[in-house]
Amino acid sequence: MPSAKASRPRPDPAVVASAPPPPPLVCTIQTVESRWSDQPIPGIRQLEQQQFQIDRGGGKPSIDPATVIESRLTPLVERFSSSGVEQIERSGMTYHWSYEAPLGPLQFSNGGGSTSPGRDSRVAVSGDLIIDVQNGFKLSQQSRLTQSGGTQTLSSLLETAHGSCREQR
């Protein structure tokens, strides 16, 4: 006797494979808060309205630029690493990146008004991006200034930003 339960037709794998990939997401930074060594400061660079793009086609999603925030440091990037864009089922996407960049010789005031000779400095940057299912995002990026070869943080910049993404048509 045939079952009274109706079976749902399974999608044809050839049709599923030929479905066009979702369009890229274009994400725009809308608000930014910056803190230099734990002190709030007005934006030291213009991040509002800066954009990045997430390509969701093909296999794993990718992000451009890989550093998310473009800056004067971007051409100097060394030792870049990232988690890749990770799609989390029903909760959005995440992305983590880090890199270093040489800054060359910088002079620092020793607090008494005098300056020490310039020493080579580096900046280490790390960031996190979380995009929710409604395509809103939160971004945080920390930049730590150190002398080359040293591990002591001389100064740090923490930037947090919020924005939204829209599908590119």
Side-chain angles (χ1 to χ4, degrees), residues 32-117:
V32 178
E33 180 184 314
S34 300
R35 299 181 77 73
W36 190 265
S37 299
D38 294 328
Q39 298 297 315
I41 57 169
I44 60 169
R45 56 186 171 161
Q46 185 64 37
L47 295 181
E48 287 90 351
Q49 302 307 309
Q50 200 174 110
Q51 294 183 329
F52 55 93
Q53 181 171 307
I54 299 174
D55 181 4
R56 301 178 294 169
K60 189 171 181 173
S62 63
I63 193 163
D64 184 46
T67 57
V68 181
I69 295 174
E70 287 284 350
S71 72
R72 290 182 210 147
L73 293 177
T74 307
L76 304 173
V77 168
E78 296 177 346
R79 296 185 201 123
F80 178 83
S81 70
S82 80
S83 63
V85 177
E86 296 179 15
Q87 183 86 40
I88 299 171
E89 194 174 327
R90 286 182 243 122
S91 44
M93 292 178 266
T94 63
Y95 179 70
H96 174 79
W97 67 97
S98 64
Y99 61 88
E100 293 183 18
L103 297 179
L106 295 178
Q107 289 186 325
F108 295 93
S109 172
N110 62 13
S114 63
T115 57
S116 59

